[in-house]
Amino acid sequence: VSIDGTLDSNLTVTGSGQDLRIAVAGGGAQELSLISAGTGSDAVYLGASAGDIDIDSFRHITIDAADDIAITTGTADGLITLHSAHTAGQAILIDANADAASVLDIDAGILDIDVQGAATLTAATWTVDAPLTKFYNTATAKPVVEIRNFNSDTGGAGILKFVKDKGTTAGADGDLSGQIFFNADDDTQPEPVSTSFAKIRAAVNTAANDSES
């Protein structure tokens, strides 16, 4: 059966509660194609004016575009969910590695990452820009921050470096290079106060070039 037209065409079911079904049901290597030669921003349009759109596939779903792909919600409580039922190995892959200059940009008011097992971050350089970074745990004698080096040489396990960078302003005698505080609660009740009981403090003694100490 072939239906062809040279002008605008319409296929509509107007009865309330009535369906329109287009199906290829014979089995085998069948294909249902919706093809448009239109050049506008809505060359193919799927719209639901009062309900949902449900796409269900027995196997794979592939979305391929020569340019941008946008997934957007238009309401204040709109939620976008990527959920995988995969139980082992790679479950969700976000690949933005076409070039060393490719950027994966996550912009959020609050970023919450929950991992049931281990989390691994691998990068040439890892930069965190925040006025305060905290590590929390409720287990005894935790958390533990470990710096480990797997090289078999004698170069040491790593460096914990405190850098006072004043930009173009010259360093001066007395500049504080870094501090480590050791805090615990005092005996104030009903709310103990976190108090520094010991600290390690490093400062510039002499900032003069070639005579630094």
Side-chain angles (χ1 to χ4, degrees), residues 57-109:
S57 173
F58 177 73
R59 294 185 63 193
H60 307 305
I61 295 177
T62 300
I63 301 175
D64 190 7
D67 210 331
D68 298 341
I69 296 176
I71 301 175
T72 305
T73 63
T75 60
D77 61 349
L79 173 65
I80 296 175
T81 301
L82 296 177
H83 174 75
S84 173
H86 194 58
T87 58
Q90 196 173 75
I92 296 177
L93 170 64
I94 300 176
D95 186 352
N97 198 29
D99 187 84
S102 297
V103 177
L104 174 61
D105 189 2
I106 301 176
D107 187 4

Side-chain angles (χ1 to χ4, degrees), residues 10-184:
N10 184 56
L11 179 61
T12 304
V13 175
T14 59
S16 177
Q18 305 303 306
D19 299 330
L20 173 63
R21 180 182 296 273
I22 301 175
V24 286
Q30 292 181 306
E31 181 178 303
L32 175 62
S33 299
L34 296 175
I35 300 175
S36 172
T39 59
S41 60
D42 56 354
V44 176
Y45 174 73
L46 296 176
S49 61
D52 302 330
I53 295 178
D54 185 8
I55 300 175
D56 190 9
S57 173
F58 177 73
R59 294 185 63 193
H60 307 305
I61 295 177
T62 300
I63 301 175
D64 190 7
D67 210 331
D68 298 341
I69 296 176
I71 301 175
T72 305
T73 63
T75 60
D77 61 349
L79 173 65
I80 296 175
T81 301
L82 296 177
H83 174 75
S84 173
H86 194 58
T87 58
Q90 196 173 75
I92 296 177
L93 170 64
I94 300 176
D95 186 352
N97 198 29
D99 187 84
S102 297
V103 177
L104 174 61
D105 189 2
I106 301 176
D107 187 4
I110 298 174
L111 177 62
D112 184 6
I113 300 176
D114 294 319
V115 180
Q116 295 183 14
T120 301
L121 300 173
T122 302
T125 301
W126 184 258
T127 301
V128 177
D129 185 359
L132 179 64
T133 302
K134 295 182 179 181
F135 298 90
Y136 286 104
N137 196 273
T138 57
T140 301
K142 299 292 188 297
V144 175
V145 178
E146 179 178 297
I147 299 175
R148 178 177 296 198
N149 182 284
F150 288 100
N151 197 303
S152 61
D153 63 12
T154 59
I159 296 173
L160 181 61
K161 182 187 292 187
F162 294 83
V163 179
K164 174 62 176 178
D165 188 347
K166 299 171 69 173
T168 58
T169 301
D173 296 353
D175 281 350
L176 190 61
S177 179
Q179 300 181 90
I180 299 177
F181 287 82
F182 299 86
N183 279 39

